[in-house]
Amino acid sequence: MTAMKQRIMVQIADPEWTREALYDACILARKHCGEVALVKMLAVQHLSWLGTSEGLMGLSELDRAAMKNCEATVEDYGVNFSSHVFQYFSLPEAVVEAAEYLDADIVFATLPKSLVPQWHEFQMCKLRHRLARRQRVLVEHKSPVAERPTTKTLPARILASLLHPHS
C-alpha cells in the first residue's frame, strides 16, 4: 500500500511572509514526499470578471516575478510543485475554494491586516474553521517582522500527526 502524497498549498502574499511560509512548506514536502501548490490570489474589480481575462488584468509584472521567485525556491528544495492564479472577490472564501480545488491537505495562508486587530483575528479564526470542516489544516505564520522567530498556530508534532495519522 503506497502512502498518499500530501499537497501543501502556499499563498503568495507579502514577500517576507511568503518566504517564511514557503521554506516551511518545502521542508515539510521534502520530508514527507509531498508537493507544493503555489497560489497567487488575484482580486477582481467586479464580480462579473471572475474567471475571465478581465480578471487577470490585475496580475502585475511584480506578481509574475514573485511567482517565478517562489518557483525557483521550490525547485532549489527539489520538491514537486505547481503554480496557480486564483481570482477572487472575497479572499477568505477564495482561500477555502482554492484549497478544495487543489485538494490541499495543509494550507499556508494569510489575510490582510485590518485597522481593527480583532477583525483580522476573527477572519483568520473563521478561515481556520472553514478549512478544518473540510479536513484541511491552516498553518498561519505571524508577521516575521513583528515577531521573530516566526510562530505557527500548530505545533510541529500536530502537523506530523496530520501527515501520518496512523503512526
Side-chain angles (χ1 to χ4, degrees):
M1 184 173 174
T2 55
M4 290 186 56
K5 276 192 166 186
Q6 298 290 320
R7 175 158 297 164
I8 303 166
M9 179 179 128
V10 179
Q11 175 191 2
I12 300 173
D14 76 76
E16 285 192 58
W17 182 93
T18 302
R19 183 175 41 254
E20 296 293 324
L22 190 56
Y23 290 155
D24 285 351
C26 287
I27 290 168
L28 211 81
R30 191 166 65 183
K31 183 176 180 181
H32 300 285
C33 297
E35 62 182 49
V36 172
L38 299 168
V39 177
K40 174 62 183 163
M41 305 304 287
L42 187 61
V44 295
Q45 297 300 313
H46 302 285
L47 193 55
S48 63
W49 288 5
L50 282 174
T52 67
S53 58
E54 287 87 3
L56 293 173
M57 288 189 311
L59 190 63
S60 68
E61 287 304 313
L62 190 59
D63 292 330
R64 293 178 204 281
M67 289 182 74
K68 291 290 182 202
N69 187 35
C70 289
E71 290 171 355
T73 298
V74 178
E75 285 178 347
D76 288 346
Y77 275 90
V79 173
N80 290 331
F81 73 94
S82 58
S83 296
H84 310 271
V85 175
F86 280 88
Q87 299 171 2
Y88 73 89
F89 197 73
S90 166
L91 184 56
E93 296 293 326
V95 168
V96 174
E97 289 174 13
E100 282 287 308
Y101 176 79
L102 295 168
D103 197 23
D105 303 292
I106 299 170
V107 178
F108 286 79
T110 190
L111 299 173
K113 299 293 182 207
S114 169
L115 293 175
V116 180
Q118 294 83 0
W119 180 247
H120 178 261
E121 292 303 317
F122 173 72
Q123 289 290 88
M124 289 304 296
C125 184
K126 279 180 50 178
L127 177 58
R128 197 169 20 262
H129 283 79
R130 284 185 191 138
L131 288 167
R133 279 192 305 236
R134 292 171 171 84
Q135 309 288 311
R136 301 180 196 306
V137 177
L138 176 67
V139 179
E140 176 190 356
H141 282 265
K142 303 282 186 200
S143 170
V145 173
E147 185 176 325
R148 295 209 190 266
T150 302
T151 59
K152 301 170 197 70
T153 57
L154 290 175
R157 64 181 168 74
I158 294 175
L159 278 175
S161 71
L162 290 167
L163 289 170
H164 299 289
H166 304 295
S167 298

